[in-house]
């Protein structure tokens, strides 16, 4: 795991004034990466680094030659239309780029390379994002014991936790082609569901559409087929983290998932935030893994070591808000419906990587892994509506408008936000993952129904 260094100093500031504002997600201690181009342009997409309300155009920075040595090599890879080659370069290259840009952006930095970098800044308000990497593979985990118990009570009230949950990080292979960028509108999906008390399923639009508050993490260096990643080496394969919303059609999901797991209930859309916050930037916010008091099962040896126990967790503060059509029409702020922390996750991201590869699966640079829904120990920390509404039996009230919801309605916009803060460290953020739910896409599904 990354040790603290000068890039984490809470007293460090930048000559980019907006990076020093209170509550800024992107101070100099963060420097997350994304892929972007100017809005309305036909420019090639390229890598960028957030600093305040600006983005460092890595394509322009490469052309200007602002870094040398390994930093220049890393900059060239990060300036491509997708970050896969940069991720494959590994921790030394990731560090060289981050430290090189930090030194140039630091208050008091001077010289021709600093002057050149000033010309490489683009306002974030003037850019569009692309997916940060070509995602060949997407795996979604199920690693919050609070979420598992809450949802389990809906499906299996007398036995909510599956026997394997406390022994291994459970996951399923998702659909990489339907991973989309924050801001991409999507339609309510169609499929089969079994109504309560019915003897045959019905076909139609999802009636129980749900969000899932998750984090995603991108694989940097991969592993060869047949060569598992030991727990002590897992973090070296993880580049960084983003926000992730694993949209779920609950009525379709609960009908179809036995015996092979999620299919159409999960594959229609997964949205991620544009900025990847590096594991190095998150170093001040590492916390112990969730403790397992006796007589609870303890991890098997391949999923257990002292380093993971001491600092395998990450304390990311997370919120979910819903903005209805009424909120927009009346100019009201969205209603916050949940607030929790990633520190409650039962299995760590390193354990997820090790479990994913223990059978010999080969992860690749740019692979996306989802953490599973993030829920805390109290009712207000639930990370999905199926929990908040207790399976749709208890409506929640949206602040501001007084509307009620058991599941999402057409026209709702869901926003996830995440940030890290504590005394003695600089606050850093992930930005936002925001998605708007449109009505059911009926043209193609009308043909299916005939």
């Amino acid at each position: 795991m990354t040790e603290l260094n000068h890039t984490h100093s809470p007293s460090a500031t930048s000559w980019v004034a907006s990076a020093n504002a209170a509550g800024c997600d992107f101070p100099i201690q963060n420097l997350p990466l994304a892929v972007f181009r100017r809005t309305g342009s036909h420019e090639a997409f390229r890598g960028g680094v957030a600093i305040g309300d600006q983005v460092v155009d890595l394509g322009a920075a490469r052309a200007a030659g602002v870094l040398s040595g390994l930093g220049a090599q890393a900059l060239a890879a990060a300036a491509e239309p997708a970050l896969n080659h940069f991720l494959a370069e590994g921790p030394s290259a990731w560090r060289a780029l981050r430290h090189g840009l930090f030194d140039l952006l630091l208050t008091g930095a001077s010289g021709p390379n600093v002057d050149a970098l000033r010309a490489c800044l683009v306002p974030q308000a003037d850019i569009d994002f692309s997916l940060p990497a070509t995602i060949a593979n997407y795996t979604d985990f199920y690693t919050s014991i609070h979420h598992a118990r809450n949802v389990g009570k809906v499906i299996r009230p007398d036995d909510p936790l599956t026997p394997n949950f406390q022994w291994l990080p459970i996951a399923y292979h998702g659909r990489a082609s339907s991973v989309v960028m924050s801001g991409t509108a999507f339609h309510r999906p169609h499929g089969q569901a079994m109504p309560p008390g019915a003897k045959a399923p019905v076909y139609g639009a999802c009636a129980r559409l749900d969000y899932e508050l998750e984090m995603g993490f991108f694989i940097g260096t991969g592993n060869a087929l047949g060569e598992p990643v030991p727990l002590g080496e897992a973090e070296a394969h993880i580049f960084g983290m983003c926000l992730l919303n694993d949209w779920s059609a609950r009525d379709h999901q609960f009908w179809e998932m036995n015996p092979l797991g999620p299919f159409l209930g999960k594959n229609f859309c997964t949205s991620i935030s544009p900025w990847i916050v590096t594991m190095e930037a998150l170093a001040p916010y590492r916390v112990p893994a969730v403790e397992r008091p006796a007589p609870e099962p303890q991890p098997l040896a391949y999923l257990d070591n002292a380093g993971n126990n001491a600092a395998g967790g990450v304390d990311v503060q997370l919120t979910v808000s819903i903005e209805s059509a009424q909120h927009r029409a009346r100019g009201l702020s969205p209603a916050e419906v949940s607030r929790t922390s990633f520190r409650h996750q039962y299995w760590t991201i390193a354990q997820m990587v090790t479990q994913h590869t223990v059978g010999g699966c080969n992860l690749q640079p740019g692979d996306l892994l989802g953490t599973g829904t993030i829920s805390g120990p109290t009712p207000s920390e639930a990370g999905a509506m199926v929990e908040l509404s207790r399976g749709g039996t208890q409506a929640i009230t949206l602040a501001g408008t007084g509307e009620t919801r058991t599941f999402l309605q057409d026209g709702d916009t869901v926003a996830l936000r995440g940030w890290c803060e504590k005394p003695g460290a600089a606050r850093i953020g992930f930005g936002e993952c925001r998605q708007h739910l449109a009505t059911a896409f009926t043209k193609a599904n009308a043909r299916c129904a005939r």
Side-chain angles (χ1 to χ4, degrees), residues 145-404:
I145 196 167
H146 304 294
H147 174 69
R149 283 175 171 147
N150 291 340
V151 175
K153 289 175 184 176
V154 174
I155 306 172
R156 303 173 302 275
D158 297 328
D159 190 20
L161 204 62
T162 57
N164 58 352
F165 185 91
Q166 291 175 289
W167 289 104
L168 58 89
I170 302 169
Y172 67 93
H173 292 291
R175 183 73 182 176
S177 64
S178 53
V179 177
V180 301
M181 183 53 59
S182 169
T184 306
F186 72 99
H187 298 272
R188 183 180 294 270
H190 282 65
Q192 283 192 27
M194 179 67 81
K199 295 183 178 180
V202 297
Y203 172 83
C206 168
R208 295 189 162 202
L209 191 66
D210 201 357
Y211 62 80
E212 287 192 344
L213 169 63
E214 299 193 23
M215 299 197 74
F217 56 102
F218 280 89
I219 295 299
T221 53
N223 61 296
L225 182 67
E227 295 185 6
V229 176
L231 183 61
E233 300 174 13
E235 292 247 357
H237 292 264
I238 303 172
F239 172 67
M241 304 187 72
C242 65
L243 303 172
L244 185 150
N245 191 335
D246 182 36
W247 299 95
S248 300
R250 297 298 186 191
D251 43 354
H252 303 165
Q253 176 192 356
F254 292 165
W255 166 236
E256 74 185 4
M257 67 187 301
N258 290 323
L260 294 182
F263 181 41
L264 299 183
K266 294 281 190 175
N267 73 358
F268 57 94
C269 186
T270 300
S271 52
I272 62 173
S273 56
W275 297 106
I276 307 176
V277 177
T278 66
M279 297 311 297
E280 181 175 24
L282 291 168
Y285 298 97
R286 304 308 296 261
V287 294
V290 169
E291 185 177 358
R292 291 155 167 75
E296 290 188 12
Q298 302 302 303
L300 298 182
Y302 77 99
L303 290 173
D304 188 25
N305 70 24
N308 184 76
N309 293 338
V314 191
D315 188 11
V316 183
Q317 305 302 308
L318 298 159
T319 64
V320 183
S321 64
I322 296 175
E323 180 187 66
S324 70
Q326 283 197 39
H327 282 103
R328 288 190 292 276
R330 295 163 60 181
L332 299 174
S333 298
E336 184 179 298
V337 294
S338 180
R339 179 178 289 253
T340 189
S341 171
F342 185 60
R343 70 181 302 159
H344 299 305
Q345 217 71 354
Y346 194 79
W347 296 100
T348 69
I349 56 176
Q351 289 170 320
M352 295 180 215
V353 169
T354 293
Q355 180 64 28
H356 202 311
T357 64
V358 71
C361 176
N362 53 324
L363 298 177
Q364 300 174 342
D367 281 357
L368 176 64
L369 278 61
T371 62
T373 303
I374 302 163
S375 298
T378 66
S380 63
E381 294 178 273
M385 292 199 76
V386 69
E387 299 174 74
L388 291 170
S389 69
R390 299 184 181 180
T393 64
Q394 182 174 311
I396 64 170
T397 301
L398 301 184
T401 65
E403 299 168 89
T404 59

Side-chain angles (χ1 to χ4, degrees), residues 99-125:
H99 287 218
L101 291 177
F102 180 94
D103 293 342
L104 293 174
L105 291 164
L106 193 63
T107 296
S110 61
N113 287 341
V114 173
D115 295 336
L117 193 66
R118 291 179 188 274
C120 299
L121 296 181
V122 180
Q124 289 187 35

